[in-house]
Amino acid sequence: MDVLDLSRWQFGITTVYHFIFVPLTIGMALLVASMQTAWHISGNETYLRMTKFFGKLFLINFAMGVVTGIVQEFQFGMNWSDYSRFVGDIFGAPLAMEGLLAFFLESTFLGLWIFGWNRLPPRLHLATIWLAAVGTTLSAYFILAANSWMQHPVGYRINPETNRAELTDIWAVLTNSTTLVTFPHVLFGAFITAAGFLIGVSAWHLARGREVPLFRKAMRIGLAVSLASGIAVAATGDLQARLMTEQQPMKMAAAEALYETSAPASFSLFTLGTPDGSEELWSLRVPNVLSFMATGDLNGSVEGINDLQKEYVAKYGPGDYRPSIPVTYWTFRLMIGFGALASLLALVGLWLTRKGRTPGSRWFYRAALAAMALPFLANAAGWIFTEMGRQPWSVYGVLRTAASVSPGVNVPTVAISLAAFTIVYAVLAVITAIIMARHVKAGPPDLTAQKEAADPTIPALTY
Amino acid sequence: MELTTVWFVLIGVLWIGYFVLEGFDFGVGVLLPILGRDNVDRRIMINAIGPVWDGNEVWLLVAGGATFAAFPEWYATLFSGFYLPLLLILLALIIRGVAFEFRGKHDSDRWRRGWDRAIFWGSLLPAFLWGVAFANIVAGVPINAQHIYTGNLFTLLNPYALLGGLVTLGLFLLHGAVFLSLKTGGDLRARARALALRTSPAVVAVAAAFLVITQIMHGKPLTWATTALAAGALIGGVVAAVRGREGWAFTGTAVTIVLATATLFLDLWPNVMPSSTSPLYSLTVTNAASSPYTLTVMTWVAAIFTPVVLGYQAWTYWVFRKRLTRTPIAQ
């Protein structure tokens, strides 16, 4: 392995790991804020206990998102210094805006929310969690604007003197068509993730007959949010697929393992290719579906990998412009499959809990508990797909990944950091899972005991 | 003023903000096993920084992001060059951050002691390494014509830089002790003050030595003034601590950190990372900067949102202004 491979593995591991916590943070911030709002409006203490219970789980998760996010801010410079030099003029701007507009907002107001329960007037305290939630959402927007620029660079020029990319239009970057469809797609994916968490945790308690009114309510919230967001994710995903066909035809062709340009193009349910990914051996296909997905027309023409490769060689010079076909092909399917399963479960759950019912069957609870993993897997698959599908480019059509890596960093150095991050992250994953499970099992807090312990001179019993 | 100058100043301000704010929570973290005699003490100490430490750390993230946006060359050379020390800082900050959150999540002395140790090392390492990093930046490191750092880890561990590390560690420790004497009550407050007084001669000596060497080696006429003022603020802070004027003592250590960091940035100007290989290869505010358009856009963003951020962060400190005492927390 060379520095490039090791750096790619490190970026992949640290980013996918970071994105375990991010969508849960985004989704839970909004759900917890909604629960607290429900309490604030109705005065119903069930909602307050729900807020405190899920709020605590949210905070454990938030801490992991924050600390793994610090690495993200610096590793472009550490491992991808040539990338940073080439695109910093453009890419740095949304990153700096994210820090100034989003990180300060979420961290400061979350601190106020945690410690402000007995100190701030209720309405102001409610505002703090909403502001923190706004911060997490804004953060997603800015980082997706930065990523979308790598997928579909706009609003820039290459300065011939310095041979660097320079920003020419910030609005073009912030309103990039890719950003505008990716942002809602990721946001609704985050809601599914948080909703799945609510459903699973509630199922665990309902299966044991504990706190039935509270967890039935929480489960209904989760199910409704999951299904609604599932539909929104599919709709935005559809828009994304069309945009991708236009902006990154190679990624779409790889996602479908479509080797030759076809009109109409069929959707592959299962394809086996040669190990080097240059040819199809066998496949099971549904006619016309890919044409529709990619172009919105049942008979639309979709370009194939081999034709695109020839086209790119003519355009960019000799080289292999094909991403890893098995990785793109399978992650695309896993993303859709896991997402669809989560929506199916939500639909079943809504039916089972209709009109005040509580599901009696054990299998549903077990499925709901297992299904907590689905959105996380779908999120990871989606990111691996979109990033691996862009290869060999780090900025599509502009800068290659191989030309992005830090030239001054050697193999042992990256090997050390890769090993260190992997080990520390793995240990923290185990600890986080144990703490989360313990808090889930402990159940919602007893408010009367908390009221007696409350004292205005201490901020909170958090630490 | 040119936009590159504006952004050099702004990045200096972000680092100053980071060191002043995270400085005291690093100090509290290092003091946790030293001043915290039992779990109640340690909880008071952590609660004293609880609402604000995460917001303080964002100053670092914004300093990183702003450097990326305004001076991409600086961002690229610095963080790829100082790879291993930065890795240590990142790992320390990761472990420290989760330690605050996880420590209270399980009722066991062994569990808490483990996380206390994580808070201690997670605060001590960055407090020391940031000083090492900044001393190296000011002194210059080997950088070639392509702006690539050509030294290794041991190049960075030179005596001057290690002294710089001791200075930040010492200043943050003192800053943290003074903060605790300001924010807590009873016995803990008295012990924090006693520790501040006990350590202050060493901190003053190390800081003075470092600032004088820096002035002689890399100084400008103007930095004599900031160096002298920094020394004055530090001594003033210590005198205030002796007299039991805790607010003034904290102001003194805060102003010391502001002026000491400002001195380093003034020494640096107009370079951002001088090359010890050849002055021709140095990164400067001009050759490391983004295009004028990007700097203009970012200036507008900073001008609009920085006051807002300062406003709500200041408000947070106001909300949590009260001292934390032992009686209620022991319940």
Side-chain angles (χ1 to χ4, degrees), chain B residues 141-311:
Chain B
V141 289
I143 292 171
N144 70 16
Q146 282 75 46
H147 290 171
I148 296 166
Y149 172 74
T150 54
N152 56 36
L153 176 62
F154 300 101
T155 320
L156 300 174
L157 302 179
N158 56 73
Y160 172 72
L162 295 174
L163 184 65
L166 283 181
V167 172
T168 45
L169 179 59
L171 278 180
F172 294 167
L173 193 99
L174 189 62
H175 195 39
V178 172
F179 175 79
L180 282 174
S181 71
L182 179 67
K183 291 291 290 182
T184 63
D187 194 35
L188 183 59
R189 174 184 177 184
R191 270 183 282 134
R193 178 166 165 258
L195 186 129
L197 297 184
R198 227 173 30 246
T199 50
S200 56
V203 175
V204 171
V206 175
F210 177 77
L211 286 173
V212 169
I213 295 172
T214 305
Q215 180 60 34
I216 292 165
M217 306 276 291
H218 315 287
K220 298 186 171 75
L222 173 66
T223 51
W224 274 117
T226 54
T227 301
L229 286 171
L234 183 55
I235 291 162
V238 172
V239 169
V242 171
R243 294 194 179 162
R245 304 285 298 268
E246 288 146 347
W248 284 108
F250 184 70
T251 310
T253 50
V255 171
T256 308
I257 295 171
V258 171
L259 289 169
T261 315
T263 304
L264 296 185
F265 272 84
L266 286 170
D267 289 337
L268 209 49
W269 170 266
N271 290 323
V272 292
M273 265 191 103
S275 166
S276 60
T277 313
S278 159
L280 292 173
Y281 304 157
S282 290
L283 278 77
T284 67
V285 286
T286 323
N287 71 17
S290 280
S291 63
Y293 176 74
T294 299
L295 292 178
T296 310
V297 168
M298 293 312 299
T299 305
W300 277 104
V301 172
I304 296 168
F305 291 100
T306 313
V308 178
V309 170
L310 288 174

Side-chain angles (χ1 to χ4, degrees), chain A residues 70 73 76-79 85 89 92 99 104-105 107-108 115 119 164 167 169-170 407 413 417 438 457 461 463, chain B residues 43 47 50 57-58 61-62 65 69 73 75 77 80 83 100 106 147-148 290-291 293-294 312-313 316 319 328:
Chain A
I70 307 172
E73 191 80 29
F76 293 107
M78 291 167 80
N79 297 82
R85 286 177 215 280
D89 201 280
F104 271 131
L105 201 64
S107 62
T108 309
F115 288 87
R119 181 151 306 208
R164 309 244 157 95
L167 187 62
D169 185 352
I170 185 69
T413 306
S417 62
R438 195 176 277 152
T457 55
L461 294 167
Y463 296 129
Chain B
R43 270 187 53 197
N47 270 299
E57 204 155 287
V58 174
L61 296 185
V62 177
E73 287 285 321
Y75 174 84
T77 304
S80 63
Y83 193 102
F100 287 131
H106 174 52
H147 290 171
I148 296 166
S290 280
S291 63
Y293 176 74
T294 299
Y312 63 65
Q313 282 215 334
T316 306
V319 169

Side-chain angles (χ1 to χ4, degrees), chain A residues 4 56 59 66 79 113 152 174 211 223 230 297 328 344 374:
Chain A
L4 177 63
K56 208 163 200 176
L59 289 176
V66 165
N79 297 82
W113 185 70
H152 179 232
L174 294 178
E211 303 273 0
L223 292 165
D297 175 356
T328 28
L344 184 69
L374 291 174

Side-chain angles (χ1 to χ4, degrees), chain A residues 41 58 99 115 127 162 169 172 184 200 217 293 319-320 323 329 380 392 402 404 436:
Chain A
I41 293 170
F58 161 67
F115 288 87
T162 56
D169 185 352
K217 211 166 261 182
M293 273 175 72
D320 188 352
Y329 178 86
S404 305
M436 284 252 194

